[in-house]
mmCIF file of all heavy atoms in Angstrom:
data_model
loop_
_atom_site.group_PDB
_atom_site.id
_atom_site.type_symbol
_atom_site.label_atom_id
_atom_site.label_comp_id
_atom_site.label_asym_id
_atom_site.label_seq_id
_atom_site.Cartn_x
_atom_site.Cartn_y
_atom_site.Cartn_z
ATOM 1 N N PRO A 380 17.320 -15.407 -0.982
ATOM 2 C CA PRO A 380 17.600 -16.785 -1.409
ATOM 3 C C PRO A 380 19.004 -16.927 -1.984
ATOM 4 O O PRO A 380 19.538 -15.995 -2.605
ATOM 5 C CB PRO A 380 16.540 -17.050 -2.477
ATOM 6 C CG PRO A 380 16.130 -15.699 -2.966
ATOM 7 C CD PRO A 380 16.260 -14.772 -1.795
ATOM 8 N N ALA A 381 19.599 -18.087 -1.791
ATOM 9 C CA ALA A 381 20.958 -18.342 -2.274
ATOM 10 C C ALA A 381 21.059 -18.144 -3.781
ATOM 11 O O ALA A 381 22.111 -17.757 -4.299
ATOM 12 C CB ALA A 381 21.380 -19.765 -1.902
ATOM 13 N N LEU A 382 19.963 -18.389 -4.491
ATOM 14 C CA LEU A 382 19.950 -18.266 -5.947
ATOM 15 C C LEU A 382 20.332 -16.867 -6.413
ATOM 16 O O LEU A 382 20.903 -16.696 -7.490
ATOM 17 C CB LEU A 382 18.561 -18.632 -6.484
ATOM 18 C CG LEU A 382 18.413 -18.772 -8.002
ATOM 19 C CD1 LEU A 382 19.167 -19.995 -8.498
ATOM 20 C CD2 LEU A 382 16.937 -18.869 -8.384
ATOM 21 N N THR A 383 20.032 -15.834 -5.597
ATOM 22 C CA THR A 383 20.277 -14.454 -6.018
ATOM 23 C C THR A 383 21.619 -13.906 -5.528
ATOM 24 O O THR A 383 21.923 -12.739 -5.739
ATOM 25 C CB THR A 383 19.152 -13.522 -5.519
ATOM 26 O OG1 THR A 383 19.132 -13.527 -4.079
ATOM 27 C CG2 THR A 383 17.798 -13.976 -6.041
ATOM 28 N N ALA A 384 22.415 -14.733 -4.867
ATOM 29 C CA ALA A 384 23.725 -14.275 -4.376
ATOM 30 C C ALA A 384 24.640 -13.936 -5.548
ATOM 31 O O ALA A 384 24.594 -14.571 -6.606
ATOM 32 C CB ALA A 384 24.367 -15.354 -3.510
ATOM 33 N N ASP A 385 25.465 -12.924 -5.371
ATOM 34 C CA ASP A 385 26.399 -12.483 -6.410
ATOM 35 C C ASP A 385 27.635 -13.374 -6.361
ATOM 36 O O ASP A 385 28.575 -13.119 -5.600
ATOM 37 C CB ASP A 385 26.774 -11.011 -6.185
ATOM 38 C CG ASP A 385 27.668 -10.462 -7.302
ATOM 39 O OD1 ASP A 385 27.743 -11.112 -8.355
ATOM 40 O OD2 ASP A 385 28.291 -9.398 -7.096
ATOM 41 N N LEU A 386 27.633 -14.418 -7.175
ATOM 42 C CA LEU A 386 28.702 -15.407 -7.159
ATOM 43 C C LEU A 386 29.347 -15.549 -8.526
ATOM 44 O O LEU A 386 28.716 -15.304 -9.556
ATOM 45 C CB LEU A 386 28.151 -16.781 -6.732
ATOM 46 C CG LEU A 386 27.414 -16.872 -5.391
ATOM 47 C CD1 LEU A 386 26.861 -18.276 -5.202
ATOM 48 C CD2 LEU A 386 28.337 -16.494 -4.243
ATOM 49 N N SER A 387 30.609 -15.968 -8.522
ATOM 50 C CA SER A 387 31.294 -16.261 -9.774
ATOM 51 C C SER A 387 30.804 -17.617 -10.291
ATOM 52 O O SER A 387 30.126 -18.361 -9.564
ATOM 53 C CB SER A 387 32.804 -16.329 -9.551
ATOM 54 O OG SER A 387 33.139 -17.447 -8.731
ATOM 55 N N ASP A 388 31.150 -17.951 -11.528
ATOM 56 C CA ASP A 388 30.740 -19.243 -12.091
ATOM 57 C C ASP A 388 31.294 -20.400 -11.264
ATOM 58 O O ASP A 388 30.597 -21.393 -11.021
ATOM 59 C CB ASP A 388 31.216 -19.366 -13.544
ATOM 60 C CG ASP A 388 30.459 -18.436 -14.483
ATOM 61 O OD1 ASP A 388 29.366 -17.962 -14.091
ATOM 62 O OD2 ASP A 388 30.954 -18.179 -15.597
ATOM 63 N N ASP A 389 32.538 -20.270 -10.821
ATOM 64 C CA ASP A 389 33.150 -21.326 -10.009
ATOM 65 C C ASP A 389 32.456 -21.458 -8.655
ATOM 66 O O ASP A 389 32.231 -22.571 -8.159
ATOM 67 C CB ASP A 389 34.645 -21.043 -9.790
ATOM 68 C CG ASP A 389 35.469 -21.294 -11.048
ATOM 69 O OD1 ASP A 389 34.966 -21.981 -11.954
ATOM 70 O OD2 ASP A 389 36.611 -20.783 -11.125
ATOM 71 N N GLU A 390 32.101 -20.322 -8.063
ATOM 72 C CA GLU A 390 31.407 -20.353 -6.773
ATOM 73 C C GLU A 390 30.012 -20.965 -6.918
ATOM 74 O O GLU A 390 29.564 -21.741 -6.063
ATOM 75 C CB GLU A 390 31.303 -18.943 -6.193
ATOM 76 C CG GLU A 390 32.632 -18.402 -5.665
ATOM 77 C CD GLU A 390 32.549 -16.939 -5.289
ATOM 78 O OE1 GLU A 390 31.754 -16.194 -5.917
ATOM 79 O OE2 GLU A 390 33.283 -16.524 -4.372
ATOM 80 N N ARG A 391 29.355 -20.626 -8.026
ATOM 81 C CA ARG A 391 28.009 -21.174 -8.252
ATOM 82 C C ARG A 391 28.082 -22.688 -8.467
ATOM 83 O O ARG A 391 27.206 -23.436 -8.013
ATOM 84 C CB ARG A 391 27.369 -20.485 -9.466
ATOM 85 C CG ARG A 391 25.854 -20.531 -9.463
ATOM 86 C CD ARG A 391 25.270 -19.463 -10.360
ATOM 87 N NE ARG A 391 25.382 -18.145 -9.776
ATOM 88 C CZ ARG A 391 24.611 -17.665 -8.823
ATOM 89 N NH1 ARG A 391 23.650 -18.419 -8.314
ATOM 90 N NH2 ARG A 391 24.758 -16.442 -8.367
ATOM 91 N N LYS A 392 29.122 -23.120 -9.156
ATOM 92 C CA LYS A 392 29.314 -24.558 -9.367
ATOM 93 C C LYS A 392 29.566 -25.263 -8.038
ATOM 94 O O LYS A 392 29.016 -26.342 -7.771
ATOM 95 C CB LYS A 392 30.495 -24.783 -10.318
ATOM 96 C CG LYS A 392 30.691 -26.225 -10.742
ATOM 97 C CD LYS A 392 31.825 -26.341 -11.744
ATOM 98 C CE LYS A 392 32.034 -27.789 -12.160
ATOM 99 N NZ LYS A 392 33.160 -27.922 -13.132
ATOM 100 N N LEU A 393 30.378 -24.646 -7.185
ATOM 101 C CA LEU A 393 30.663 -25.217 -5.868
ATOM 102 C C LEU A 393 29.409 -25.234 -5.002
ATOM 103 O O LEU A 393 29.176 -26.185 -4.244
ATOM 104 C CB LEU A 393 31.772 -24.416 -5.179
ATOM 105 C CG LEU A 393 32.185 -24.856 -3.759
ATOM 106 C CD1 LEU A 393 32.651 -26.308 -3.755
ATOM 107 C CD2 LEU A 393 33.266 -23.929 -3.216
ATOM 108 N N MET A 394 28.584 -24.199 -5.130
ATOM 109 C CA MET A 394 27.369 -24.109 -4.314
ATOM 110 C C MET A 394 26.418 -25.273 -4.600
ATOM 111 O O MET A 394 25.648 -25.681 -3.721
ATOM 112 C CB MET A 394 26.657 -22.772 -4.556
ATOM 113 C CG MET A 394 25.478 -22.545 -3.607
ATOM 114 S SD MET A 394 24.672 -20.932 -3.827
ATOM 115 C CE MET A 394 23.775 -21.204 -5.363
ATOM 116 N N LYS A 395 26.458 -25.815 -5.809
ATOM 117 C CA LYS A 395 25.581 -26.944 -6.133
ATOM 118 C C LYS A 395 25.832 -28.125 -5.206
ATOM 119 O O LYS A 395 24.920 -28.882 -4.879
ATOM 120 C CB LYS A 395 25.771 -27.364 -7.593
ATOM 121 C CG LYS A 395 25.148 -26.407 -8.592
ATOM 122 C CD LYS A 395 25.267 -26.938 -10.002
ATOM 123 C CE LYS A 395 24.606 -25.985 -10.995
ATOM 124 N NZ LYS A 395 24.699 -26.488 -12.392
ATOM 125 N N SER A 396 27.100 -28.270 -4.772
ATOM 126 C CA SER A 396 27.429 -29.383 -3.878
ATOM 127 C C SER A 396 26.894 -29.155 -2.463
ATOM 128 O O SER A 396 26.893 -30.065 -1.643
ATOM 129 C CB SER A 396 28.951 -29.590 -3.830
ATOM 130 O OG SER A 396 29.589 -28.495 -3.190
ATOM 131 N N PHE A 397 26.416 -27.937 -2.175
ATOM 132 C CA PHE A 397 25.819 -27.629 -0.874
ATOM 133 C C PHE A 397 24.349 -28.078 -0.807
ATOM 134 O O PHE A 397 23.780 -28.173 0.264
ATOM 135 C CB PHE A 397 25.874 -26.123 -0.597
ATOM 136 C CG PHE A 397 27.235 -25.579 -0.248
ATOM 137 C CD1 PHE A 397 28.400 -26.229 -0.635
ATOM 138 C CD2 PHE A 397 27.352 -24.393 0.473
ATOM 139 C CE1 PHE A 397 29.653 -25.713 -0.317
ATOM 140 C CE2 PHE A 397 28.598 -23.868 0.798
ATOM 141 C CZ PHE A 397 29.749 -24.537 0.398
ATOM 142 N N PHE A 398 23.739 -28.306 -1.979
ATOM 143 C CA PHE A 398 22.328 -28.715 -2.073
ATOM 144 C C PHE A 398 21.413 -27.775 -1.290
ATOM 145 O O PHE A 398 20.556 -28.210 -0.507
ATOM 146 C CB PHE A 398 22.140 -30.163 -1.582
ATOM 147 C CG PHE A 398 22.868 -31.168 -2.419
ATOM 148 C CD1 PHE A 398 24.077 -31.704 -1.984
ATOM 149 C CD2 PHE A 398 22.368 -31.556 -3.652
ATOM 150 C CE1 PHE A 398 24.770 -32.622 -2.766
ATOM 151 C CE2 PHE A 398 23.055 -32.476 -4.441
ATOM 152 C CZ PHE A 398 24.250 -33.012 -3.999
ATOM 153 N N LEU A 399 21.592 -26.479 -1.522
ATOM 154 C CA LEU A 399 20.786 -25.491 -0.799
ATOM 155 C C LEU A 399 19.369 -25.416 -1.367
ATOM 156 O O LEU A 399 19.167 -25.409 -2.583
ATOM 157 C CB LEU A 399 21.458 -24.123 -0.860
ATOM 158 C CG LEU A 399 22.847 -24.043 -0.216
ATOM 159 C CD1 LEU A 399 23.395 -22.638 -0.334
ATOM 160 C CD2 LEU A 399 22.802 -24.487 1.247
ATOM 161 N N LEU A 400 18.405 -25.333 -0.489
ATOM 162 C CA LEU A 400 17.001 -25.306 -0.890
ATOM 163 C C LEU A 400 16.656 -24.029 -1.653
ATOM 164 O O LEU A 400 15.931 -24.063 -2.643
ATOM 165 C CB LEU A 400 16.108 -25.431 0.344
ATOM 166 C CG LEU A 400 16.337 -26.679 1.202
ATOM 167 C CD1 LEU A 400 15.522 -26.589 2.479
ATOM 168 C CD2 LEU A 400 15.987 -27.928 0.439
ATOM 169 N N SER A 401 17.172 -22.893 -1.177
ATOM 170 C CA SER A 401 16.859 -21.614 -1.823
ATOM 171 C C SER A 401 17.780 -21.343 -3.007
ATOM 172 O O SER A 401 17.703 -20.282 -3.618
ATOM 173 C CB SER A 401 16.947 -20.463 -0.808
ATOM 174 O OG SER A 401 18.289 -20.244 -0.405
ATOM 175 N N GLY A 402 18.623 -22.312 -3.328
ATOM 176 C CA GLY A 402 19.516 -22.167 -4.477
ATOM 177 C C GLY A 402 18.970 -22.841 -5.727
ATOM 178 O O GLY A 402 19.608 -22.817 -6.778
ATOM 179 N N LYS A 403 17.797 -23.447 -5.613
ATOM 180 C CA LYS A 403 17.209 -24.151 -6.754
ATOM 181 C C LYS A 403 16.432 -23.181 -7.643
ATOM 182 O O LYS A 403 15.772 -22.270 -7.151
ATOM 183 C CB LYS A 403 16.270 -25.260 -6.258
ATOM 184 C CG LYS A 403 16.990 -26.358 -5.483
ATOM 185 C CD LYS A 403 16.018 -27.424 -5.024
ATOM 186 C CE LYS A 403 16.745 -28.468 -4.169
ATOM 187 N NZ LYS A 403 17.750 -29.231 -4.932
#
């Protein structure tokens, strides 16, 4: 799931704009 990806704070903030289902 996208939620468990190793991302920086900025990348995680940007990912929110992707509205990924597995990122919730």
Side-chain angles (χ1 to χ4, degrees):
L382 189 69
T383 62
D385 184 15
L386 304 176
S387 67
D388 290 342
D389 286 343
E390 287 171 329
R391 204 160 286 282
K392 187 177 179 181
L393 179 58
M394 187 177 74
K395 286 185 179 180
S396 68
F397 286 24
F398 297 101
L399 298 180
L400 303 173
S401 69
K403 296 180 184 295

